[in-house]
């Protein structure tokens, strides 16, 4: 009995689609999928991050050559920057994972990941491997190769460093080492319980010409990938642009291209092909003994395919399925069976929808599932039974042509039902990689659906099991019918935000509110602390209970206050017990919502850190110009400042002199074209005694600054200092920014995270600007562009690449003290 997931990627459609909705193919899609049945070739593309992949090449390989095409990204892009919001780290990695999956739905590739964590920009593969644990990530690459079994591997970057980023070079080194390791039974033998060794034919580097670095040569293998597919109505350059434009958090919206587009390839292992990437690889059915008869059957189905009546091909596809299933077990047998099953469903026009009107399925509560089936083209289909978890119901009836079969069922969600959680976040991660112990999960791109309905059918007397993930479905008054993931959560959720509390006054009591979100009826709960830390050391003697709560209705939020005194920085973790069921919950729900990707929900431990920081502040009212998104305003408020967020509307109407300082958020000049309109107004504010602080902006092929920023000339470079422990040399120890109201010393640059500074200033007017620090990564020249300050009229202007947007949310004391001094530069007012 074969299982088939009916919610499949549309292999050939190029239009953006709702990832969660049941997908229906056009007849053109179906015809191309029938032709693809006769192609038994595969290619694995390898790089480091989401958006590193060559989407034009992937589209060409998948849709023109019809190879099984995969992209292995070493990381989920957690350490990048974010153009659309303030998410960083794991949150950003979750967003970029979904953007990458959206891209694959367009270009037809499959997606894989290793356990590597994107810890930020790295300049060498040595640093990268030190943090990633090279052998662990190599084992993941080998695992994906042994499972996917590509005929060839293509790397985006070389092993020799021309790719710039240390992660880039590391991805190529790992791919080349895995080329040999995947074929060696002595390497990672524990994997051989599940897979066999695999010898790839060759590995090639997809040379490039971008970023001012042309690595292409006319003596390399050269292939035109710019062709036009008339069945899809798009060139591969146009499809690639739609795919690449899904990387919205990175600002990678792309324009379609038409006409010849050449890609170049240099072999790094294996023999050199002369004309074709898969030269010397048999990618027809004859690579399987006896496969020639299958090829003939497929050709017959393709030649007789009726675009107006795809259901006429169903019986022949069922016969093809029977013929393939008779072959011995093997990877191509299983892959082609799956493709045939997809085609049977699509040619039949079968519609299976299993949904709920609730976004969350709550442990120890019930949820209603709605079933809707339709045999839209009237194929010979007999419904036997439907099952979910431990429930099943028999039907034993024909599915009539184009008639809906609708029914509903209440399901109890047990306390043991697995919570919906990205598998790579279940265990605490290390600095450079996620801890995933289940071998079979490694490489999997996304969360396993929380509930899967199995629909047992006979089609022309052949039995099939169609597996349909249960989705949350609702109707938006503007967007119409929408599908989102169904999420299993505990009956109680705890929340105490913000997770980081800054304590400036040494006598200040540490206090806050714990919100207990009750998701089911009739709960009597006892919230209390699970543990208490002082200076990162557990203190089991310090625990405290909070007031018990009782509810009679679901979806209530009850606030419970707490307070304590501590002489040191402290952390507390919360727990709540349902006294009726002896059921414990220690989960906080995080939600991320953007229109271009499915809803993201994941659970974290409800924990609050109270960080005592010795910082003095001067000046009070801050205007904050919103940029790409960051969490700096929240931290400013915790420091005691009054923060007004300035959009274009507020900047236009505000009298800027009311602000003691104005701070431009990260990439404000990249993301807001209107900033140039207010240049004169901002400079006048500075000239009259204001204080304008501009955080980093980028100047590269993705986004540039099209307006003046400061009162005097300077440029923005790509210089960055990626070692968070790099030495910081103080150039002007007497400068006010280092002395008032806080004395800044070398101690203030301890315990920084990820990096020091990015996108430094360059070519500044040395008569007008003062530089404060010099810093550099190992092997590079010292650079003074991390912070430049100019006096203009009665006020001050500063540009800084120092990563306050990372350090402040991480609670780094020195970052707070330095930013407080920048804000106090004009000494306009005191508290």
């Amino acid at each position: 009995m074969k299982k088939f997931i009916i919610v499949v990627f549309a292999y050939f459609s190029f239009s953006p689609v709702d990832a969660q909705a049941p997908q229906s193919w056009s007849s053109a899609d179906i015809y191309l999928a029938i032709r693809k049945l006769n192609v038994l070739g595969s290619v694995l593309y390898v790089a480091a991050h989401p958006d590193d992949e060559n989407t034009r090449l992937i589209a060409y390989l998948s849709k023109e050559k019809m190879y099984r095409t995969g992209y292995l990204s070493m990381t989920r892009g957690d350490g990048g920057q974010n153009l659309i919001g303030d998410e960083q780290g794991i949150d950003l990695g979750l967003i970029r994972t979904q953007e990458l999956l959206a891209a694959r739905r367009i270009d037809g590739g499959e997606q894989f990941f290793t356990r590597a964590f994107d810890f930020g920009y790295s300049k060498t593969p040595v640093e990268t491997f030190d943090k990633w644990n090279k052998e662990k990530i190599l084992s993941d690459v080998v695992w994906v190769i042994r499972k996917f079994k590509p005929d060839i591997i293509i790397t985006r970057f070389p092993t020799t460093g021309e790719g710039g980023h240390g992660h880039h070079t590391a991805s190529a080194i790992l791919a080349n080492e895995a080329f040999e390791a995947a074929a060696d039974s002595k390497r990672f033998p524990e994997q051989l319980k599940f897979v066999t060794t695999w010898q790839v034919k060759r590995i090639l580097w997809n040379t490039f010409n971008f970023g001012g670095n042309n690595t292409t040569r006319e003596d390399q293998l050269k292939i035109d990938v710019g062709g036009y597919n008339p069945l899809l109505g798009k060139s591969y350059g146009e499809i690639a642009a739609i795919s690449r434009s899904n990387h919205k958090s990175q600002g990678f919206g792309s324009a379609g291209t038409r006409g010849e587009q050449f890609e170049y390839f240099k072999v790094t292992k294996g023999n050199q092909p002369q004309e074709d990437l898969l030269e010397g690889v048999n990618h027809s059915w004859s690579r399987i003994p006896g496969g020639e008869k299958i090829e003939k059957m497929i050709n017959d189905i393709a030649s007789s395919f009726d675009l107006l009546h795809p259901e006429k091909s169903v019986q022949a596809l069922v016969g093809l399925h029977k013929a393939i299933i008779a072959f011995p077990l093997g990877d191509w047998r299983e892959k082609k069976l799956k493709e045939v099953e997809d085609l049977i469903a699509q040619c039949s026009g079968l519609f299976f929808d299993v949904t709920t009107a609730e976004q969350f399925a709550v442990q120890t509560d019930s949820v209603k599932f709605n079933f809707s089936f339709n045999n839209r083209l009237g194929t010979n289909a007999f419904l036997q039974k439907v099952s979910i978890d431990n429930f099943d119901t028999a039907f034993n009836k024909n599915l009539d042509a184009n008639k809906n079969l609708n029914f509903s069922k209440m399901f109890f969600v047990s306390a043991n039902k697995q919570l919906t959680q990205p598998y790579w976040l279940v265990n605490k991660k290390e600095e450079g990689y996620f801890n995933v112990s289940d071998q079979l999960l490694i490489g999997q791109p996304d969360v396993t659906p929380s509930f899967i309905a199995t629909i047992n059918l006979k089609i022309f007397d052949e039995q099939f099991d169609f597996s349909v993930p249960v989705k949350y479905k609702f109707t938006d008054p503007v967007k119409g019918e929408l599908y989102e993931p169904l999420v299993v959560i505990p009956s109680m959720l705890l929340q105490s935000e913000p997770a980081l509390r800054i304590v400036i006054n040494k006598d200040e009591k540490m206090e806050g509110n714990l919100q207990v979100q009750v998701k089911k009826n009739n709960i009597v709960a006892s919230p209390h602390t699970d543990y208490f830390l002082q200076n990162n050391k557990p203190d089991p003697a310090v625990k405290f209970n909070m007031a018990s709560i009782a509810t009679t209705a679901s979806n209530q939020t009850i606030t419970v206050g707490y307070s304590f005194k501590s002489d040191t920085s402290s952390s507390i973790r919360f727990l709540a017990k349902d006294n009726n069921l002896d059921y414990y919950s220690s989960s906080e729900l995080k939600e991320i919502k953007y229109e271009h990707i499915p809803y993201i929900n994941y659970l974290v431990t409800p924990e609050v850190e109270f960080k005592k920081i010795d910082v003095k502040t001067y000046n009070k009212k801050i205007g904050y110009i919103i940029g790409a998104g960051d969490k700096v305003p929240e931290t400013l408020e915790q420091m005691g400042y009054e923060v007004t967020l300035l959009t274009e509307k507020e900047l236009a109407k505000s009298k800027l002199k009311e602000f003691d300082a104005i701070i431009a958020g990260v990439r404000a000049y990249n993301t807001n074209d209107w900033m140039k309109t207010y240049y004169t107004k901002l400079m006048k504010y500075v000239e009259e005694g204001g204080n304008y602080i501009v955080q980093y902006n980028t100047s590269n092929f993705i986004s540039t600054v099209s307006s003046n920023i400061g009162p005097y000339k300077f440029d923005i470079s790509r210089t960055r200092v990626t070692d968070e422990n790099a030495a910081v040399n103080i150039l002007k120890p007497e400068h006010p920014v280092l002395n008032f109201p806080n004395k800044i010393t070398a101690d203030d640059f301890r315990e920084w995270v990820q990096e020091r500074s990015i996108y430094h200033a360059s070519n500044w007017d040395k008569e007008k600007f003062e530089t404060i620090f010099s810093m550099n990564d190992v092997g590079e020249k010292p650079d003074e562009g991390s912070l430049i300050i100019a006096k203009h009229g009665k006020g001050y202007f500063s540009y800084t690449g120092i990563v306050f947007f990372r350090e402040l949310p991480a609670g780094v004391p020195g970052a707070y003290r330095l930013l407080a001094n920048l804000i106090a530069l004009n000494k306009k007012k005191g508290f």
Side-chain angles (χ1 to χ4, degrees):
M1 203 185 302
K2 302 301 296 177
K3 282 196 173 180
F4 155 52
I5 298 178
I6 198 167
V7 183
V8 291
F9 295 159
Y11 293 122
F12 299 97
S13 294
F14 56 82
S15 298
V17 293
D18 178 358
Q20 302 298 309
Q23 300 302 318
S24 295
W25 301 354
S26 70
S27 286
D29 298 331
I30 293 171
Y31 177 67
L32 287 168
I34 291 171
R35 290 180 54 203
K36 186 169 184 170
L37 290 174
N38 259 336
V39 180
L40 279 69
S42 56
V43 180
L44 182 64
Y45 201 86
V46 178
H49 310 107
D51 74 34
D52 284 345
E53 77 276 19
N54 185 335
T55 53
R56 185 172 59 207
L57 179 60
I58 290 174
Y60 168 82
L61 293 171
S62 173
K63 299 176 182 292
E64 175 67 24
K65 304 299 289 184
M66 298 189 184
Y67 300 142
R68 184 186 182 197
T69 307
Y71 174 45
L72 172 59
S73 176
M74 296 293 135
T75 75
R76 296 176 183 269
D78 324 79
Q81 294 145 35
N82 185 357
L83 195 65
I84 61 173
D86 61 10
E87 295 86 2
Q88 298 175 28
I90 285 172
D91 286 2
L92 180 57
L94 290 165
I95 292 170
R96 297 185 72 183
T97 292
Q98 293 302 325
E99 291 179 338
L100 205 49
L101 290 171
R104 296 295 80 76
R105 286 189 288 273
I106 300 300
D107 58 37
E110 299 175 45
Q111 187 58 53
F112 307 98
F113 294 98
T114 75
R115 288 172 287 182
F117 178 72
D118 180 358
F119 57 83
Y121 193 89
S122 170
K123 293 183 178 178
T124 70
V126 174
E127 179 195 14
T128 299
F129 288 140
D130 180 58
K131 293 188 177 182
W132 276 0
N133 186 331
K134 180 183 178 183
E135 193 73 359
K136 183 181 292 288
I137 306 307
L138 175 61
S139 77
D140 292 356
V141 180
V142 168
W143 169 253
V144 172
I145 292 171
R146 286 173 173 173
K147 283 192 71 178
F148 188 76
K149 289 183 165 45
D151 293 310
I152 66 167
I153 294 173
I154 300 173
T155 65
R156 169 78 282 189
F157 303 106
T159 60
T160 45
E162 291 91 334
H165 199 316
H167 295 181
H168 293 170
T169 305
S171 72
I173 292 171
L174 289 168
N176 278 269
E177 291 189 13
F179 174 87
E180 296 177 346
D184 186 350
S185 61
K186 295 179 181 178
R187 298 304 309 275
F188 313 111
E190 68 280 359
Q191 298 178 2
L192 301 180
K193 293 183 292 185
F194 310 105
V195 292
T196 60
T197 58
W198 182 251
Q199 180 60 67
V200 179
K201 180 75 171 179
R202 65 177 63 90
I203 183 167
L204 308 98
W205 165 33
N206 180 196
T207 58
F208 51 79
N209 181 8
F210 56 73
N213 191 5
N214 185 2
T215 62
T216 64
R217 303 288 184 271
E218 287 304 315
D219 60 352
Q220 297 168 356
L221 176 64
K222 178 181 175 183
I223 296 176
D224 179 12
V225 300
Y228 174 78
N229 191 317
L231 284 170
L232 299 178
K234 295 283 185 183
S235 71
Y236 297 115
E238 291 171 313
I239 295 170
I242 299 170
S243 171
R244 193 160 185 78
S245 295
N246 280 287
H247 294 297
K248 299 184 188 304
S249 67
Q250 304 306 295
F252 268 37
S254 302
T257 59
R258 288 148 289 276
E260 291 182 335
Q261 300 286 330
F262 290 99
E263 295 290 344
Y264 293 78
F265 304 89
K266 179 180 179 180
V267 169
T268 55
K269 286 187 183 293
N271 59 6
Q272 174 71 43
Q274 300 303 310
E275 297 181 356
D276 186 73
L277 287 167
L278 263 66
E279 198 168 279
V281 175
N282 182 359
H283 48 78
S284 72
W285 272 98
S286 63
R287 77 185 291 171
I288 298 176
E292 292 84 355
K293 68 177 183 180
I294 301 297
E295 184 170 344
K296 183 179 183 306
M297 293 177 73
I298 294 168
N299 288 335
D300 290 343
I301 293 170
S303 62
S304 62
F305 180 68
D306 186 339
L307 274 77
L308 293 178
H309 294 283
E311 73 276 10
K312 292 180 179 179
S313 296
V314 173
Q315 190 166 7
L317 285 166
V318 171
L320 177 64
H321 188 273
K322 289 180 181 178
I324 296 174
I325 210 169
F327 278 71
L329 291 174
D331 293 285
W332 277 116
R333 172 188 180 271
E334 304 311 309
K335 174 62 180 169
K336 292 303 173 181
L337 280 173
K338 175 66 169 59
E339 289 181 20
V340 173
E341 290 162 355
D342 290 352
L343 278 162
I344 290 170
Q346 295 297 332
C347 287
S348 300
L350 290 172
F351 178 82
F352 296 137
D353 203 25
V354 186
T355 64
T356 175
E358 303 293 333
Q359 183 180 359
F360 302 108
V362 180
Q363 286 179 335
T364 72
D365 204 357
S366 296
V367 61
K368 182 181 179 181
F369 292 164
N370 303 308
F371 299 77
S372 181
F373 304 157
N374 191 305
N375 182 11
R376 290 177 291 188
L377 293 177
T379 197
N380 185 332
F382 183 80
L383 176 63
Q384 294 177 300
K385 69 176 184 178
V386 177
S387 59
I388 297 180
D389 287 359
N390 297 322
F391 160 82
D392 66 69
T393 182
F395 284 86
N396 294 321
K397 62 169 290 181
N398 289 314
L399 286 179
D400 296 328
N402 202 31
K403 290 185 178 180
N404 292 321
L405 173 61
N406 299 324
F407 63 97
S408 299
K409 173 71 178 176
M410 294 295 295
F411 286 84
F412 178 73
V413 184
S414 74
N416 297 321
K417 177 67 178 178
Q418 185 172 359
L419 298 170
T420 304
Q421 179 77 335
Y423 70 88
W424 58 97
L425 300 182
V426 170
N427 300 315
K428 185 178 180 180
K429 75 171 188 67
E430 304 297 332
E431 180 184 16
Y433 59 87
F434 295 105
N435 274 312
V436 180
S437 56
D438 186 341
Q439 182 67 58
L440 296 178
L441 288 175
I442 293 170
Q444 181 176 310
D446 203 0
V447 182
T448 302
S450 54
F451 289 90
I452 297 177
T454 301
I455 299 140
N456 182 255
L457 280 182
K458 277 191 175 181
I459 300 176
F460 288 101
D461 295 323
E462 178 82 352
Q463 188 166 309
F464 296 89
D465 283 353
F466 297 121
S467 296
V468 182
V470 182
K471 299 292 176 63
Y472 161 50
K473 184 170 77 170
F474 63 101
T475 302
D476 182 273
V478 175
K479 302 169 190 171
E481 184 178 72
L482 295 175
Y483 291 76
E484 295 293 346
L486 173 62
V487 179
V488 178
I489 61 173
S491 63
M492 291 179 292
L493 294 169
L494 310 179
Q495 187 176 45
S496 186
E497 290 188 338
L500 175 68
R501 312 283 179 88
I502 301 304
V503 181
I504 296 177
N505 185 337
K506 66 179 181 178
D507 296 322
E508 184 179 345
K509 183 182 290 186
M510 299 182 180
E511 58 187 358
N513 291 316
L514 175 68
Q515 289 187 331
V516 183
Q517 301 168 351
V518 180
K519 295 296 184 178
K520 61 166 286 188
N521 296 332
N522 300 317
I523 282 184
V524 177
S526 302
H528 56 87
T529 56
D530 187 25
Y531 72 43
F532 188 95
L533 297 180
Q534 289 190 324
N535 282 338
N536 295 317
K537 296 179 180 178
D539 187 349
V542 183
K543 289 190 177 183
F544 53 88
N545 295 322
M546 288 165 275
S548 293
I549 62 172
T551 67
T552 57
S554 60
N555 293 316
Q556 291 190 44
T557 298
I558 298 176
T559 300
V560 183
Y562 64 88
S563 66
F564 62 95
K565 295 198 71 172
S566 175
D567 295 330
T568 64
S569 295
S570 303
S571 296
I572 53 176
R573 186 172 70 190
F574 297 100
L575 183 71
K577 178 187 177 185
D578 181 346
N579 297 333
N580 292 333
L581 296 174
D582 199 26
Y583 169 91
Y584 288 86
S585 175
S586 182
S587 296
E588 179 178 339
L589 182 68
K590 296 288 188 180
E591 298 182 88
I592 302 171
K593 291 184 179 180
Y594 287 100
E595 289 189 1
H596 67 295
I597 55 176
Y599 292 169
I600 296 170
N601 294 273
Y602 72 102
L603 299 168
V604 298
T605 300
E607 188 172 50
V608 176
E609 179 184 7
F610 288 86
K611 191 76 174 263
K612 290 210 165 190
I613 294 179
D614 180 16
V615 57
K616 299 179 181 66
T617 57
Y618 191 95
N619 285 342
K620 190 173 185 67
K621 299 189 69 174
I622 308 294
Y624 199 90
I625 301 173
I626 299 171
D630 57 68
K631 293 184 170 70
V632 173
E634 294 93 323
T635 59
L636 289 171
E637 288 179 335
Q638 288 204 53
M639 293 170 71
Y641 296 107
E642 296 177 5
V643 180
T644 300
L645 298 179
L646 300 177
T647 62
E648 180 180 13
K649 181 179 179 181
E650 283 75 27
L651 196 58
K653 68 181 182 181
S654 295
K655 295 181 179 179
L656 301 186
K657 64 180 181 181
E658 67 181 280
F659 298 113
D660 301 327
I662 295 175
I663 302 175
V666 299
R667 297 173 78 170
Y669 285 85
N670 295 134
T671 56
N672 302 322
D673 289 337
W674 44 262
M675 287 295 292
K676 66 183 75 172
T677 306
Y678 301 99
Y679 172 77
T680 301
K681 185 174 184 178
L682 286 164
M683 293 306 104
K684 183 179 179 182
Y685 160 76
V686 174
E687 191 173 11
E688 292 178 351
N691 182 10
Y692 186 34
I693 302 161
V694 177
Q695 296 178 86
Y696 90 93
N697 286 265
T698 62
S699 184
N700 54 33
F701 70 96
I702 299 171
S703 58
T704 57
V705 173
S706 59
S707 63
N708 293 327
I709 297 178
Y712 312 114
K713 179 186 177 301
F714 71 94
D715 296 326
I716 297 173
S717 73
R718 302 202 66 186
T719 300
R720 60 173 74 197
V721 177
T722 63
D723 181 358
E724 65 271 28
N725 297 311
V728 176
N729 300 309
I730 294 176
L731 303 176
K732 293 182 173 62
E734 75 289 349
H735 195 281
V737 80
L738 299 177
N739 291 280
F740 181 83
N742 304 284
K743 179 66 176 177
I744 303 299
T745 69
D747 287 344
D748 287 295
F749 295 96
R750 293 179 179 174
E751 300 179 358
W752 283 48
V753 299
Q754 188 162 323
E755 56 199 347
R756 288 285 193 206
S757 187
I758 56 179
Y759 296 101
H760 286 194
S762 63
N763 303 320
W764 57 84
D765 185 332
K766 290 182 170 52
E767 292 185 1
K768 301 293 186 180
F769 282 105
E770 295 182 277
T771 58
I772 309 301
F773 306 117
S774 73
M775 58 182 79
N776 59 279
D777 283 320
V778 174
E780 298 183 355
K781 294 180 180 179
D783 188 272
E784 299 180 12
S786 65
L787 174 61
I788 60 172
I789 300 173
K791 190 84 168 64
H792 179 58
K794 298 178 181 178
Y796 283 88
F797 170 84
S798 305
Y799 173 84
T800 181
I802 292 171
V803 288
F804 291 110
F805 74 100
R806 294 199 195 280
E807 309 308 319
L808 297 178
V812 176
Y816 281 84
R817 290 160 52 81
L818 180 58
L819 183 58
N821 284 16
L822 276 168
I823 291 170
L825 268 177
N826 58 347
K827 296 186 181 180
K828 190 175 179 182
K829 294 177 183 176
F831 286 119

